[in-house]
Amino acid sequence: MKWPHPAPNPSAVVETQGQGRTGNGHIDRIGRVKSALGFVLVLFGLFSCHQAFAAPADIDGLTMTLPDPASGWRKAGKGNLFMLQKDFPETEDDKRGSALIQITKPLTAARNSLQAGMKTFVATLPDMAKEDILIKHYGVTVNGHDIRVEERCCVHQKNVSISQIVVGIAGDKQQVYLQLVLLNVNGDRSSGAEADFATLVRSVKLDSSDKDFDLVATSADGGLDGVFTHLDTGARPNVFGGMDFYSDSTITMFDPKGLFSTELPKGGRSITEHCKETPTDCGLYKLTGGGFFSSAGSIEMRSVTSAYGAIEIETKAFSKKGEDLVIADADYRVVPPFKEGTTLDGEWVSTFASSGMTATSSGSVASSHTLTLHRNGTFERTGWSGASMTNEIGGSQSGVTTSGKRPKASGRYKLSGYRLDLTDASGKTETMSIFEPDKGSDGLLVINGSNYLKDDEK
């Protein structure tokens, strides 16, 4: 692939060249590449180029909803790329930082050139292209376009930490590329900028017939109703370099019209409301196969795998076993809801522990939460947590240990459906999801996704 020479104009990060061509030829149009250092200097030089903008916007036939100017995003630069920038002031905890969103004009290209175009657009930060992909999501959008999301981190240039998220969306005839570049932006600042970028990406309409992002079932979708649990066990790496064994009672909630969720809606929300607020918990499904004298033999699950609207489609073997389901040879047991006014009696404890070590460090963290429920509708809550870490550098060892207790709380509780309301003495109510994974037994409660085992000695 032949690249043009670096652009001499310091005010232009990327320039779009030429007229539209189909196939891989479009790649030369994505941009002229400056050095990574020059890119950083240009970004920080844009502080004086801000102007307010309004949403929604039409960019050369590409429709999207831009962030509210009140959130701090402003139009930046005058190049052929559409650019937005948000600045973060220096604080006691953070350096001065900047977040930049870049959007290409729609490019005439075949759908199968998306992967090559992504590689080219990532290389607009040459040093970033050398980094491995940390997170990736490949799938389709609600409008049937191919979408690829790749996140890379971290390049350091003159005390500036740079990370990059690149998104490519391709239809049959044209495609668009977007990227979020973060400079000295992390923590809550990074989370906020990424959420704004994800919302913008989900709103992109590549064709005039595209609809807004929403999980809308078709007449062919649906067919199941209820909450089902599956026991998932295994081992996974932890942040300390060790391995944690886990045993999770996962759930899948099926709506008869075609929505499904891998989390129970909280706060009394319906599954439709929950999926609008947290689409990455959700998806659409349909039963396929079978006929007049047999039930469906497979289930197609279209899961939203990222906040950017990427949908992964999987078809799995499916059958029914009484009230229960078998999906991909895994048992999913039906979970009945709690009846209104149900009360329990006992003490349930949720514990967590994780530890590990490397050649120069070791660490551990542990916590315990206890919930006591009484037949008269009252409850008590207690808990504690602790952590320790040691590091050895140049023969010198340092460490830190911390622990704390959760203040005891008490009040009244209410069970209904898959919902637990805890109202403390001050009148404040906390709503959590709850279910019993074992039929007819309260030996294990799953509350807000955590396993609470009953202490039979209490």
Side-chain angles (χ1 to χ4, degrees):
M1 182 183 302
K2 184 177 179 181
W3 277 89
H5 295 293
N9 181 2
S11 66
V13 178
V14 182
E15 296 179 2
T16 304
Q17 307 171 39
Q19 300 299 316
R21 298 189 296 274
T22 60
N24 292 335
H26 86 283
I27 294 172
D28 288 336
R29 300 177 58 224
I30 292 180
R32 292 185 177 178
V33 181
K34 293 179 65 64
S35 68
L37 176 59
F39 183 80
V40 171
L41 295 177
V42 168
L43 290 183
F44 276 99
L46 287 174
F47 280 109
S48 61
C49 300
H50 299 322
Q51 65 184 66
F53 61 90
D58 185 295
I59 304 172
D60 294 301
L62 186 69
T63 303
M64 67 189 68
T65 301
L66 300 176
D68 189 329
S71 66
W73 289 96
R74 296 183 180 275
K75 190 174 180 180
K78 299 180 180 179
N80 288 328
L81 284 180
F82 184 86
M83 294 189 288
L84 303 174
Q85 186 170 328
K86 182 175 182 177
D87 305 324
F88 299 91
E90 183 176 357
T91 67
E92 293 182 359
D93 299 322
D94 298 296
K95 297 180 180 179
R96 185 183 70 153
S98 182
L100 184 74
I101 294 173
Q102 295 182 313
I103 307 167
T104 68
K105 296 178 180 180
L107 306 172
T108 302
R111 184 186 289 255
N112 62 8
S113 66
L114 179 60
Q115 183 176 356
M118 286 283 291
K119 183 177 180 180
T120 303
F121 198 69
V122 168
T124 57
L125 283 172
D127 287 351
M128 193 66 73
K130 302 174 186 177
E131 299 293 322
D132 293 334
I133 301 173
L134 290 180
I135 301 173
K136 61 183 178 181
H137 299 283
Y138 302 153
V140 297
T141 70
V142 293
N143 293 299
H145 306 312
D146 290 349
I147 181 170
R148 298 175 74 94
V149 182
E150 297 178 357
E151 180 175 347
R152 292 173 173 82
C153 180
C154 297
V155 170
H156 296 273
Q157 295 279 340
K158 288 193 173 183
N159 295 321
V160 176
S161 175
I162 311 172
S163 61
Q164 176 196 51
I165 300 174
V166 174
V167 179
I169 303 173
D172 292 330
K173 297 180 179 180
Q174 62 179 1
Q175 52 196 236
V176 65
Y177 296 88
L178 310 90
Q179 75 171 344
L180 172 68
V181 180
L182 302 176
L183 298 95
N184 284 342
V185 176
N186 49 46
D188 291 341
R189 289 176 166 184
S190 174
S191 299
E194 290 176 25
D196 290 342
F197 182 55
T199 300
L200 186 153
V201 171
R202 290 199 307 271
S203 75
V204 170
K205 295 179 180 178
L206 193 59
D207 297 329
S208 59
S209 60
D210 285 353
K211 59 185 179 182
D212 292 335
F213 176 86
D214 196 8
L215 292 174
V216 180
T218 68
S219 59
D221 293 332
L224 299 174
D225 189 12
V227 175
F228 300 81
T229 183
H230 165 64
L231 183 61
D232 182 25
T233 61
R236 53 192 169 211
N238 60 41
V239 296
F240 304 111
M243 297 293 292
D244 292 337
F245 293 95
Y246 66 90
S247 178
D248 296 334
S249 295
T250 64
I251 73 103
T252 306
M253 184 177 191
F254 291 103
D255 176 79
K257 294 183 179 179
L259 274 177
F260 75 86
S261 172
T262 57
E263 296 289 341
L264 289 173
K266 299 175 184 177
R269 296 178 180 85
S270 67
I271 186 172
T272 301
E273 292 169 331
H274 173 74
C275 290
K276 282 185 177 294
E277 295 179 7
T278 317
T280 50
D281 289 344
C282 300
L284 297 166
Y285 75 94
K286 68 178 177 180
L287 303 177
T288 59
F292 289 108
F293 303 103
S294 62
S295 60
S298 61
I299 182 171
E300 180 188 273
M301 303 187 75
R302 309 190 295 278
S303 307
V304 181
T305 59
S306 80
Y308 300 94
I311 296 174
E312 180 180 330
I313 303 174
E314 294 180 287
T315 300
K316 305 175 183 180
F318 172 86
S319 63
K320 289 186 176 181
K321 187 190 293 184
E323 293 183 326
D324 301 332
L325 308 176
V326 180
I327 301 176
D329 297 324
D331 292 326
Y332 286 73
R333 299 191 306 275
V334 67
V335 179
F338 286 101
K339 293 181 180 180
E340 180 83 26
T342 297
T343 58
L344 301 175
D345 188 50
E347 180 178 290
W348 288 262
V349 181
S350 174
T351 59
F352 172 79
S354 180
S355 64
M357 62 185 302
T358 65
T360 59
S361 66
S362 64
S364 63
V365 62
S367 65
S368 178
H369 301 279
T370 300
L371 175 64
T372 304
L373 303 176
H374 302 288
R375 289 292 183 195
N376 63 2
T378 61
F379 78 90
E380 292 91 38
R381 297 172 76 185
T382 59
W384 61 267
S385 61
S388 66
M389 182 174 292
T390 60
N391 288 281
E392 185 174 340
I393 302 176
S396 177
Q397 191 177 77
S398 62
V400 61
T401 300
T402 181
S403 63
K405 289 186 177 182
R406 175 175 183 160
K408 184 176 181 179
S410 61
R412 301 195 63 82
Y413 73 93
K414 180 181 179 182
L415 281 167
S416 177
Y418 304 101
R419 171 175 172 171
L420 171 64
D421 290 334
L422 300 178
T423 303
D424 63 21
S426 69
K428 181 181 179 181
T429 298
E430 181 179 358
T431 299
M432 296 179 284
S433 64
I434 184 172
F435 68 92
E436 291 177 338
D438 300 322
K439 291 181 183 178
S441 171
D442 62 3
L444 172 63
L445 300 178
V446 180
I447 303 175
N448 268 6
S450 297
N451 292 333
Y452 281 73
L453 288 171
K454 190 174 186 179
D455 188 344
D456 292 328
E457 297 181 0
K458 297 294 186 179

